[in-house]
Amino acid sequence: MNWEYMNHGYFGGFMWLWFLLIVLIIIALFFPWWKQGASANNSKDEVDEKPLQILQKRFARGEISEEEYQSMRKTLEDD
């Protein structure tokens, strides 16, 4: 019997390398869609929030001072 194909045939014995390359290409092609879907979900949540909730979160994170918070809250509540 000729067992040579087991060691050196079919892609020169590096079949695993070709398989790995194909898997990486498939992942690279589908990764942008996964990332786009995740960012679309985050932006949708932000759109659903009310302005006062966004203001409260910004104040809690320290993005705005207490004076700015009070001023903006008053403006939002007057509308």
Side-chain angles (χ1 to χ4, degrees):
M1 282 192 180
N2 186 2
W3 296 97
E4 187 175 326
Y5 71 90
M6 295 292 277
N7 294 326
H8 303 291
Y10 301 115
F11 300 103
F14 290 102
M15 183 67 173
W16 62 271
L17 188 60
W18 289 107
F19 177 74
L20 181 64
L21 182 64
I22 291 169
V23 169
L24 290 175
I25 290 172
I26 290 171
I27 290 172
L29 290 174
F30 286 106
F31 184 73
W33 286 311
W34 290 332
K35 190 174 180 180
Q36 183 181 21
S39 65
N41 290 339
N42 290 340
S43 63
K44 181 184 175 198
D45 292 340
E46 291 175 5
V47 170
D48 290 340
E49 286 185 283
K50 296 182 180 176
L52 192 56
Q53 291 173 330
I54 296 171
L55 182 62
Q56 289 169 343
K57 286 182 180 181
R58 289 186 62 200
F59 179 63
R61 286 192 296 249
E63 293 178 9
I64 57 175
S65 67
E66 185 175 356
E67 294 80 21
E68 290 172 315
Y69 171 76
Q70 295 295 342
S71 172
M72 290 180 191
R73 187 183 63 132
K74 184 175 184 246
T75 302
L76 289 173
E77 290 175 347
D78 287 343
D79 290 338

